Amino acid sequence: EEACIECKKCSGGSGWCREAEYISDPARHTCQACPVGAECDGTSLRSPDGLDAQGMVWQLDDATGRMMLQSCPTGYRIVSNRGYANQQCEACPEGYYITNGVDPGLSCLPCPSSAFCLMGGPPVFVDSLALQLAVHGIDLTVLTAPGRPEAATLLRHVAAASGFDVAMLEL
């Protein structure tokens, strides 16, 4: 009869955390420490913050029983060159992007000033972008009439909410 292998669980014995362990096949492998870029529950491993759904991929190394980080979602760089325990997806800082979340040799690059890099993704270059804005209860033809100070206020708020420089916007 096969003995049950009990791996380390989170404090309190339930839930997902970094301190727990996981095991892929109790008949062939031992308990594994949870890598920095994952959460474990005593039996399984998953990516934190819903990154699995965004493209973070772990793959089982059948020989060792360890889950190895294979790719990161858009806007994240893979960090796996510091040993098994330090595998993780690291978000590019604001204003930076990365084109490939699979190669640990790549770094985040500054987003060109003539483009925007949505969520750390590749630069999108636009000469102009047309958007339609509807403000309920306000007639925009009156608001944008010459000499109306409300137009500048509206542009500042739209710029702040969209991340665009106010000089790039017009009503």
Side-chain angles (χ1 to χ4, degrees), residues 5-146:
I5 297 176
E6 190 73 27
C7 293
K8 182 179 176 186
K9 293 184 173 21
C10 299
S11 300
S14 65
W16 294 87
C17 65
R18 256 282 303 122
E19 296 75 31
E21 296 175 320
Y22 70 95
I23 188 165
S24 57
D25 182 353
R28 298 182 14 195
H29 301 118
T30 59
C31 296
Q32 301 293 326
C34 198
V36 169
E39 298 174 325
C40 299
D41 69 351
T43 57
S44 304
L45 173 146
R46 73 176 185 188
S47 299
D49 304 322
L51 291 179
D52 287 325
Q54 297 175 42
M56 189 172 185
V57 176
W58 295 88
Q59 185 174 345
L60 177 65
D61 177 340
D62 201 44
T64 64
R66 289 181 166 177
M67 297 296 283
M68 303 303 289
L69 184 56
Q70 300 298 305
S71 67
C72 295
T74 298
Y76 289 79
R77 70 184 214 59
I78 192 169
V79 179
S80 64
N81 57 351
R82 293 180 268 182
Y84 164 76
N86 292 314
Q87 299 179 94
Q88 62 183 313
C89 289
E90 194 173 79
C92 289
E94 182 70 31
Y96 284 73
Y97 74 97
I98 192 159
T99 57
N100 179 331
V102 176
D103 184 348
L106 295 179
S107 297
C108 298
L109 302 169
C111 189
S113 59
S114 60
F116 65 95
C117 299
L118 186 62
M119 297 173 58
V124 176
F125 295 90
V126 290
D127 292 328
S128 66
L129 181 64
L131 299 173
Q132 185 173 14
L133 176 66
V135 182
H136 298 286
I138 297 176
D139 182 352
L140 288 179
T141 56
V142 172
L143 180 69
T144 58

